[in-house]
């Protein structure tokens, strides 16, 4: 299923805001990380209807990805 592009952009903004708050990053750094993340790729490609998951769930996925990459 393909989501409306405008609605997806609004969802991305909410996800990044939650992720920035949880990680302590600036919004700019959180946005940069988001667009380079595997999570963004899955959402944007519509894999497993990731765009249907809650903003908080997706922000948590980003946080897990961030910590995983930080450890490597």
């Amino acid at each position: 299923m393909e989501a409306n592009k405008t609605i997806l952009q609004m969802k991305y903004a909410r996800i990044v805001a939650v992720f920035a708050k949880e990680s302590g990053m600036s919004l700019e750094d959180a946005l940069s990380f988001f667009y380079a993340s595997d999570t963004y790729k899955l959402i944007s490609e519509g894999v497993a209807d990731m765009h249907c998951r809650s903003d908080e769930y997706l922000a948590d996925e980003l946080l897990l990805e961030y910590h995983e990459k930080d450890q490597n």
Side-chain angles (χ1 to χ4, degrees), residues 22-61:
E22 289 182 2
S23 66
M25 287 184 184
S26 68
L27 284 172
E28 293 81 13
D29 289 341
L31 185 64
S32 293
F33 182 83
F34 174 71
Y35 279 119
S37 71
D38 294 332
T39 302
Y40 166 72
K41 184 177 179 186
L42 293 173
I43 298 168
S44 66
E45 292 176 357
V47 173
D49 286 337
M50 290 285 284
H51 62 279
C52 295
R53 306 220 183 232
S54 74
D55 301 341
E56 291 77 15
Y57 175 88
L58 294 169
D60 286 344
E61 287 295 310

Side-chain angles (χ1 to χ4, degrees), residues 7-15 51 53-55 58:
I7 292 172
L8 266 181
Q9 290 298 320
M10 292 168 40
K11 184 165 190 74
Y12 295 160
R14 292 190 309 268
I15 293 166
H51 62 279
R53 306 220 183 232
S54 74
D55 301 341
L58 294 169

